[in-house]
Each structure stands twice: as structure tokens, then as C-alpha cells.
Amino acid sequence: FPSLPFQAKMSRPVQARRLEGIDKNIWVEFVKLAATYSKVNLGQGFPDFPAPDFLQEALRRALGENHMLHQYTRGFGHPPLVKVLAQFFEKLLGRELDPMTNVMVTVGAYQALFCCFQAFVDEGDEVIVIEPFFDCYETMMKMAGGTPVFVPLRPKAPKDGKLMSSADWQLDPAELASKFSARTKAIVLNSPNNPLGKVFSRGELELIAELCVKHDVLCISDEVYEWLVYDGRQHIRIASLPGMWDRTVIIGSAGKTFSATGWKVGWTVGPDRLLQHLRTVHQNSVYHCATVAQEAVAQGFQRELMLYGKPDSYFVQLPRELQRKRDLLVQSLLAVGMKPIVPEGTYFLVADISEFKSDVPDVPSSDEPYDYRFAKWMIKNKGLAAIPLSAFYSEGHKNSHSNFIRFCFAKEEATLKAANDILQKWKQEKTS
Ligand code: PMP
């Protein structure tokens, strides 16, 4: 094109307005740091132990058995998977479900969340988020034009010198009620909660449900850690409370459920009235999830349905194993003076590092919250990766919650032992 001026480089702004202010992401930075420096990575939330044999076998079978499993399947969910999910959730919720309209399969729980925000949130809508929260809630709702309204879980000191538990972090009922208004479109509930591991009690869920019904508000219920509850606690599904089925989307993840986070198979369960809009987003974004992975997850659920509540069930065995690992990490942290907040669920544990402030004087100073600087220092200098808790707070609240870091304990025993060795060595260095 000889007539074109030589500088044909684009000069106009290319970024859509909806991306303003949401381009930074803590995971990119910390995943890179952990990969570069850490010897032991208890940062990002994924198991380093294998997915169960029955699931791996199911995938191998799916790959070899039927060549049509390499092709497209039904866009809203592979029929065997939506059928077995419907059967499973009928049992859990005590209501009849139609696999074709009450269940939709997504690319991990992450895409289920994306579908919810795109489908329900308009410019100017407010969405209540309980802090601390899984960070993508805020950015995803902002991308849809919504405004987050934060309400904190407030810690209460435990009595009698007991260790703090995630149950000691509670909502203030009056404060929660004050956040609901005519502009509130939805509340995001995450129980068991990432990062604290809090399992919301029936009383707390009833309070949230009452407010949702009173103000005619939707509930986006992220339940990806539904099977990971400890010490005999029970995960209660808010959709089973009076008035809530009609206004709740339940979100789940095969990644968390079957220790296979890389498969990225997730689902939504809810009334057709809500799911029909999720289907619109799904079919106009990803449209489809890998068929073989869906087939293998379907077989995993068929096994679990047969073994429901029995000792051989993975959903019984996994939490038992993880509770033991949680307790190992609690002991390691206590031994060096980090105060663990004992989680009732999930595979995360938050530890208080305030006593380390005087012991680690060489943490560089900057405008970043202390826990960011501490976590980066720990990865680089001790080879142990964890995530700063303030990453799970909104911008205005980060600095007031910067004395904690989050560890993931869904790890091989050898990994937890290696973490313990680093901590013990660190303690000796501190005292010598
Ligand atoms: N919700 C929460 C609370 C999570 O912690 C995660 C993963 N860390 C997800 C959703 C996303 O799950 P998935 O890997 O199935 O997309």
C-alpha cells in the first residue's frame, strides 16, 4: 500500500472501559514468584497428590472406549454428567431436579461465577460480598458493571487461651442488614469460605436467607469446598432453606471435589428461571467443556452415588485425610510462633504473622500491605510460598488486614514435612 503513511502502528486506545482498574491480578505475580524461588509451594490452592485412581481410570476409559467422546457433546452439559449431578443434588437438596434445566456444566466453578455475574448484574446493581473473599468476585462483577458492597467477617478473640478458629470470624447481623437496599441485586456466599475455611452455621445462613427473601435478592452460592468440612461439622446448603431455592444458584467444582483442579469441570444447580440466563451467557462465550473430562467426572459421581455416606466414598475419605494434614500444619506453625486460625473447612489455613513483625526486620518497606511484603520475602528468602490475606480484601480494606498469610494444606505428607523443616530451621535461626 504505497499511499499509506509509514507509521501504520495503531495509536488509538484499545482497552474496553470495562477492563479499567481490574488488570492487576495477584495470582500472576505470586504464581511466578513461587515458580522461581519456592522450594515448598503452599500458595495456590491445588493438591500435589494424585486424583483418585477411579477418576484417572474413568478418564483413560473415556479416552479409549468411544471415539465420539472426542467430539462435541451437548453444550449445556454432557448428558451423563447432568443426569448424575441431578440425581446427586436431588439427594442433597431433597427436591426433584430436571437434569436438562436445573443443571448446567461449566469450565470450572470460575466460569460458573462469570456466567452468574454476566447474567444477573446490570450497570448500577449492587452485589454484597462477605470479606475476606475469593478475589475474582469483585473483578467479575465490576466487568459486568456492578458495584460491590463489602461486609466483613469480624474476628472475636477465643476464650480460655484456645486457638482461634474460623468460626470465631462472624458477621455482625445489624451491619449485614444495613448493606441491603433497593439497589441490591445479589449476595455472593462462599461456604466453606476461601480463604478462612469458615463453614457458615445454620443460624448465619438463616440470617442471610431472611434478608435475601425480605429484599428479594439473588444468592450466588459458591460451594466448591462442599465436601471439605472437618471435626464432624456439616455443610448446609442455603438453597435448602425456606424461600431460597427460587433465588439461589449453587456453584460446584469437580476440581476441588475430586482433587483434579486442572480438569476445569464445574457446574451450576438451580431453578430453570435463573439457569436459563446462565445458558445464554454460556452459549455465547465458551459454549462447551471438554467431553472426555465431563464423561470421567460423570463416572466419578456415579461411583460416589453408589457409595454415598459409606467409608469407601471419596467424599468421606478426602476430608478425613485433609483434616489430618490441617492438624500437621497447625502444629508446624505453632512451633515457630505463627498463630493459625484453625479452619473448619476447605484446604486453606490462615496464620497470624503479627509476632513475626519484629523478627523479620529485613522485609523491604513500600506502599504494599505488610503481608504482601512478608509473603514475597518468605518465598525469596525461605523458599516457602504462601498468599497474603489482604489479597482477599477490597482495596480500601487491605491495609487493615495485613497481618495474615494463607497456606494450602492439600499436599503430600512429604511436602508438609518439607514446609515443617523450613519453619523449624527458621525458628533455630531466630533463637540463635
Ligand atoms: N470458588 C472458590 C472459592 C475457589 O477457591 C476456586 C478455586 N480456587 C474457584 C471458585 C474456582 O474453581 P475452579 O477451579 O473449578 O474453576
Side-chain angles (χ1 to χ4, degrees):
F1 308 107
S3 60
L4 273 183
F6 198 68
Q7 311 93 315
K9 244 176 118 185
M10 282 193 82
S11 58
R12 69 194 294 174
V14 292
Q15 181 200 292
R17 271 194 306 281
R18 77 180 75 89
L19 302 191
E20 270 166 27
I22 63 163
D23 48 344
K24 272 226 181 92
N25 181 303
I26 178 183
W27 302 105
V28 175
E29 184 181 11
F30 272 82
V31 166
K32 191 166 165 216
L33 271 177
T36 313
Y37 297 104
S38 77
K39 293 190 203 79
V40 181
N41 186 358
L42 304 188
Q44 214 185 348
F46 57 82
D48 69 350
F49 48 78
D53 288 345
F54 67 83
L55 196 76
Q56 296 190 41
E57 277 158 28
L59 183 62
R60 277 194 287 274
R61 269 199 308 276
L63 282 169
E65 203 166 65
N66 172 356
H67 70 274
M68 289 312 289
L69 292 175
H70 292 267
Q71 304 305 327
Y72 291 136
T73 181
R74 178 174 167 270
F76 303 130
H78 186 48
L81 181 55
V82 287
K83 277 183 198 151
V84 72
L85 281 169
Q87 279 177 296
F88 216 98
F89 276 86
E90 277 182 355
K91 217 178 184 41
L92 300 175
L93 296 167
R95 67 164 54 239
E96 253 179 55
L97 297 176
D98 176 346
M100 299 299 152
T101 58
N102 296 134
V103 182
M104 185 182 83
V105 176
T106 54
V107 181
Y110 217 81
Q111 193 230 338
L113 289 161
F114 183 80
C115 287
C116 285
F117 292 118
Q118 288 294 319
F120 302 136
V121 178
D122 262 328
E123 291 281 339
D125 284 343
E126 291 186 356
V127 180
I128 298 175
V129 178
I130 300 166
E131 283 191 299
F133 59 94
F134 183 45
D135 58 320
C136 73
Y137 302 156
E138 182 181 6
T139 42
M140 282 190 188
M141 95 175 59
K142 281 184 172 164
M143 239 195 290
T147 306
V149 172
F150 299 104
V151 60
L153 287 166
R154 295 191 180 278
K156 289 199 183 98
K159 288 190 193 118
D160 313 326
K162 274 208 287 204
L163 283 181
M164 185 176 260
S165 141
S166 54
D168 294 320
W169 289 59
Q170 290 176 9
L171 289 166
D172 174 332
E175 191 175 20
L176 176 66
S178 75
K179 305 289 177 183
F180 282 79
S181 76
R183 289 182 302 279
T184 314
K185 184 71 182 282
I187 182 168
V188 186
L189 173 69
N190 174 212
S191 181
N193 158 279
N194 174 10
L196 283 172
K198 179 181 173 68
V199 177
F200 283 68
S201 68
R202 182 173 289 278
E204 289 170 313
L205 295 174
E206 280 171 354
L207 172 71
I208 296 168
E210 227 173 84
L211 288 163
C212 285
V213 172
K214 182 172 166 199
H215 296 272
D216 204 15
V217 160
L218 289 167
C219 180
I220 300 168
S221 186
D222 180 343
E223 304 185 26
V224 298
Y225 301 103
E226 60 192 320
W227 299 107
L228 306 184
V229 288
Y230 311 125
D231 308 316
R233 282 208 172 61
Q234 227 206 329
H235 169 60
I236 298 166
R237 290 173 177 77
I238 196 163
S240 66
L241 300 187
M244 288 308 286
W245 165 254
D246 200 38
R247 60 182 71 249
T248 302
V249 175
I250 301 173
I251 293 176
S253 163
K256 309 293 174 180
T257 300
F258 289 114
S259 308
T261 57
W263 289 24
K264 292 299 287 184
V265 174
W267 55 84
T268 57
V269 174
D272 185 32
R273 198 176 70 79
L274 302 184
L275 260 60
Q276 71 179 98
H277 305 299
L278 303 187
R279 293 196 289 269
T280 307
V281 180
H282 183 75
Q283 76 192 0
N284 289 297
S285 49
V286 307
Y287 182 67
H288 194 289
C289 319
T291 309
V292 279
Q294 292 193 63
E295 171 68 24
V297 171
Q299 293 189 21
F301 266 106
Q302 278 152 13
R303 174 191 188 270
E304 288 303 303
L305 195 57
M306 250 164 38
L307 294 175
Y308 186 72
K310 302 213 169 100
D312 283 347
S313 156
Y314 191 64
F315 298 170
V316 171
Q317 286 177 347
L318 180 65
R320 198 173 294 158
E321 184 62 9
L322 284 174
Q323 181 174 325
R324 206 173 54 75
K325 293 185 169 174
R326 174 198 68 175
D327 295 341
L328 285 176
L329 184 59
V330 164
Q331 291 314 319
S332 298
L333 294 172
L334 279 174
V336 294
M338 285 194 199
K339 282 193 244 141
I341 300 167
V342 182
E344 307 153 274
T346 74
Y347 42 49
F348 300 115
L349 185 156
V350 171
D352 185 336
I353 51 166
S354 42
E355 281 185 16
F356 268 61
K357 275 192 164 164
S358 53
D359 288 334
V360 190
D362 47 348
V363 171
S365 59
S366 79
D367 289 341
E368 279 185 323
Y370 180 77
D371 58 351
Y372 265 76
R373 287 179 280 133
F374 181 90
K376 284 182 191 173
W377 178 91
M378 189 170 81
I379 298 172
K380 285 186 183 162
N381 292 274
K382 300 293 168 191
L384 178 61
I387 302 288
L389 184 69
S390 63
F392 302 89
Y393 279 88
S394 57
E395 204 50 46
H397 300 161
K398 283 189 193 299
N399 270 314
S400 40
H401 296 89
S402 64
N403 281 335
F404 301 91
I405 51 176
R406 190 204 75 176
F407 295 95
C408 170
F409 57 83
K411 301 294 170 191
E412 295 273 18
E413 203 139 332
T415 313
L416 294 172
K417 228 177 142 294
N420 183 58
D421 291 347
I422 290 176
L423 291 165
Q424 293 302 333
K425 194 163 157 243
W426 188 355
K427 185 189 169 200
Q428 279 164 14
E429 286 161 7
K430 280 202 303 170
T431 47
S432 65

